[in-house]
Amino acid sequence: MKKTLFFTVCLLFVFSIDVAAKPANPDAEPKIKVEDGVTQAVFSMEEAVRETVYIETAVDSDGDGQNDKVHAEIIRPKETEEGLEVPVIFEMSPYRAGLSSLDFHDVDVELNPVEKNDKGKPYAADLPGYYDDYFVPRGYAVVLAESIGSGLSDGCPTVGDEREIRATEAVIDWLNGRADAFTEDGQEVSANWSTGNVGMTGVSYNGTLPNGVATTGVKGLKTIVPIGAISSWYDYYRSNGAVVAPGGYQGEDADVLGKAVLTRDNPEVCSDLMKQIEDDQDRETGDYNEFWDARNYLNDVKNIEASVFVVHGLNDWNVKTQQFSQWWEELKHYNVPRKLWLHQGGHSSPYYFRNEEWLNTLNKWFDHWLYDIDNGIMDEPVVDIQREDDSWETTQAWPNADATETKLHFTAGSSETGGLSVQPVPNENKEADSLLDNALIEASELVQNPLLKSPNRQAYLSKELTDSYRMSGTPNVSIRASIDQPTANLTGLLVDYGPDGAEIVTRGWMDPQNINSMSKSKALVPNRQYTFDWDMQPDDYQFKTGHQIGIVIISSDNKYTIRPEAGTTISIDPERSHVTLPLVGDIKDLR
């Protein structure tokens, strides 16, 4: 059974103290140092112990009859050789060996209408040396492992399903004496230097695996810090039934990613599995199915025993903001100890722009959860949000507790008279606002000059604001519309119109065939009116005084959706269409 370091820390903010470990060697007295509530850099990085191990998992993803082994590099203080037991910061990554070439799907294809009776990337990663250079001198071991199918690990990538999660879990089991590991020459090796307390972190895929592992409730995992991480893989590659791309990677899908991280020797052994992923992901309908449900960590948040420090960029269009928002809601529902940082960056870590404060906060977080230091981190405000002017504010909740669902109705005639109003405005002439799909025109162009008539969009603007409004949460679009073809793309763009032009705040997509369920497409009758409801990506955004709030409806979104031939017409009944925004403040401007 692993021994754990326990500390009594008094008056941490007045003076520093040295804390002695319980050494296996009674003649050794290795110590960590705590000052102002955080461990200090007292161990030599140059003298750190480095070792390579291969940890046996309980999965056989490549079907060779042998359990997969995960390759891991370990960096730990030299003093662990003298009896110091330390907690572990663990990052599992499929990216350490780089990427194989990416063969993207063609998105310039026609959409797939269902039959009437149908049954049916170089990715962001942390800087090399980030974790070990900072935390090893502070009394931590750092374990950097390669996910199955990548680098020197065997097995096959399974893109976030149970096999990949269980293989990651095996590292934690080994650190707690529940799994076996071997040196390169086959000698069994134990982690007798580990307290068994483990914290996981990472960006993107490296942050997604901690989400999945936490939902297993594995013993020894005390905390995770997912950064720009996925909570449901369906919502990474799909949106309300529509096939969508991660920002900047049009045509990517689960199979493309699986093949990209398949960097092990003899990758051909995984060919059948890669083909199975391609088939099971179902790009034809975009429906939610068993493949995606097996990669939905929201299903098992109830099992989480670890604390969770969520970090996400409000302008992350790779792992979109829905991923953190729905995860955060589930963590709150199950009362998981948690903290949230939202920044104005994209798919990246705060390390890149808020280095000192980020590292200090992360240090306090790990010290509290892995060393049991009572440093007040859990008494601080729960949420840190970076505003548009780069200032930071703290709150106790997200979305903002004062945000109320505000329904803004469309007004007919988007060219000069069309607008947004709190009260419904009768469409006296009963005319439809129509738009023609043209996937070659980018959304950034279609939102320009909203008062000019455009055949490829409909734009609805509020009056100029005499006060500022904060939107905090998830906007929703509802349109009453008909489509002159069996199917189409539907895209909503929330736009801030100000003196300097148009800025797309957030956007959302829908396959109209998923009108009733994201699990089953429904055949639509051309030219028949339906009500289509879909959410946009969550955000926390300030609309300034003098600006106008705009909602722009288009069909295909060039950088995100499938791009069919131009020509489909969508006709909107504005009187029965609206957008709902979670707004903070008196809405008198919009009456």
Side-chain angles (χ1 to χ4, degrees), residues 195-512:
T195 65
N197 291 344
V198 180
M200 289 193 70
T201 188
V203 179
S204 192
Y205 208 146
N206 302 1
T208 298
L209 293 172
N211 281 348
V213 174
T215 64
T216 69
V218 58
K219 293 181 179 179
L221 182 62
K222 300 299 184 181
T223 191
I224 64 170
V225 185
I227 305 170
I230 293 168
S231 55
S232 168
W233 284 87
Y234 179 84
D235 298 316
Y236 186 60
Y237 289 119
R238 307 287 184 267
S239 180
N240 301 299
V243 175
V244 297
Y249 298 94
Q250 257 291 30
E252 189 190 317
D253 214 322
D255 64 319
V256 175
L257 180 57
K259 293 171 187 175
V261 300
L262 178 54
T263 54
R264 58 162 285 175
D265 289 339
N266 305 317
E268 62 275 6
V269 303
C270 300
S271 296
D272 289 346
L273 179 55
M274 294 301 104
K275 180 62 169 63
Q276 182 181 347
I277 291 174
E278 182 177 1
D279 292 342
D280 292 348
Q281 68 192 5
D282 183 16
R283 283 181 68 85
E284 292 297 311
T285 72
D287 290 353
Y288 186 87
N289 58 22
E290 290 182 3
F291 174 87
W292 298 112
D293 195 58
R295 293 159 173 81
N296 186 353
Y297 309 134
L298 300 169
N299 293 334
D300 297 310
V301 172
K302 60 183 177 294
N303 299 328
I304 294 178
E305 297 291 338
S307 64
V308 183
F309 183 0
V310 178
V311 181
H312 214 100
L314 289 169
N315 293 294
D316 189 345
W317 286 99
N318 185 319
V319 177
K320 303 174 187 71
T321 52
Q322 180 184 8
Q323 299 288 348
F324 91 79
S325 178
Q326 60 194 8
W327 186 243
W328 186 249
E329 284 300 309
E330 286 300 296
L331 295 175
K332 181 170 62 176
H333 177 75
Y334 289 102
N335 201 28
V336 176
R338 63 198 178 275
K339 188 173 178 64
L340 175 65
W341 266 34
L342 299 176
H343 59 81
Q344 290 293 325
H347 194 50
S348 62
S349 165
Y351 180 88
Y352 298 111
F353 55 89
R354 202 184 181 194
N355 185 294
E356 185 175 349
E357 190 168 357
W358 164 244
L359 289 177
N360 185 61
T361 301
L362 193 60
N363 197 167
K364 287 180 70 175
W365 184 265
F366 282 140
D367 285 350
H368 177 74
W369 289 104
L370 301 182
Y371 264 127
D372 199 28
I373 297 174
D374 184 10
N375 54 22
I377 186 72
M378 296 306 293
D379 298 324
E380 295 178 1
V382 177
V383 182
D384 285 50
I385 304 177
Q386 186 182 26
R387 303 307 326 164
E388 292 80 359
D389 62 1
D390 292 334
S391 64
W392 287 78
E393 68 178 33
T394 58
T395 68
Q396 289 300 122
W398 195 89
N400 187 282
D402 295 328
T404 57
E405 298 297 305
T406 304
K407 186 180 291 187
L408 302 178
H409 299 268
F410 295 3
T411 303
S414 71
S415 56
E416 294 184 3
T417 61
L420 294 173
S421 172
V422 172
Q423 301 300 327
V425 177
N427 182 11
E428 300 291 352
N429 297 322
K430 304 300 179 184
E431 293 181 0
D433 287 343
S434 297
L435 63 97
L436 193 67
D437 184 25
N438 188 342
L440 298 181
I441 307 175
E442 295 187 11
S444 57
E445 180 179 344
L446 288 170
V447 299
Q448 302 301 321
N449 303 308
L451 297 183
L452 297 180
K453 188 173 181 61
S454 169
N456 306 116
R457 63 102 196 278
Q458 289 293 331
Y460 304 91
L461 274 68
S462 73
K463 299 175 181 178
E464 286 192 7
L465 305 177
T466 59
D467 200 352
S468 63
Y469 289 88
R470 176 177 178 177
M471 186 192 73
S472 182
T474 304
N476 183 272
V477 181
S478 178
I479 63 172
R480 183 71 176 175
S482 63
I483 304 169
D484 72 347
Q485 300 295 324
T487 189
N489 290 309
L490 292 177
T491 301
L493 307 168
L494 181 65
V495 186
D496 182 355
Y497 287 101
D500 298 325
E503 178 181 350
I504 298 175
V505 176
T506 189
R507 64 220 297 166
W509 312 270
M510 180 186 184
D511 177 350

Side-chain angles (χ1 to χ4, degrees), residues 16 18 57 74 122 133 204 208 248 359 372 376 541 547 567:
S16 66
D18 291 338
T57 74
I74 300 166
D133 283 349
S204 192
T208 298
L359 289 177
D372 199 28
Y541 185 85
H547 289 221

Side-chain angles (χ1 to χ4, degrees), residues 12 21 33 50 53-54 67 88 150 156 180 239 247 250 256 261 309 358 456 464 485 487 493 496 510 530 534 573 581:
L12 293 177
K33 183 177 183 179
R50 297 173 181 271
V53 300
Y54 294 83
N67 288 344
V88 174
S150 69
C156 298
D180 298 328
S239 180
Q250 257 291 30
V256 175
V261 300
F309 183 0
W358 164 244
N456 306 116
E464 286 192 7
Q485 300 295 324
T487 189
L493 307 168
D496 182 355
M510 180 186 184
Y530 298 88
W534 71 98
D573 180 354
L581 304 180

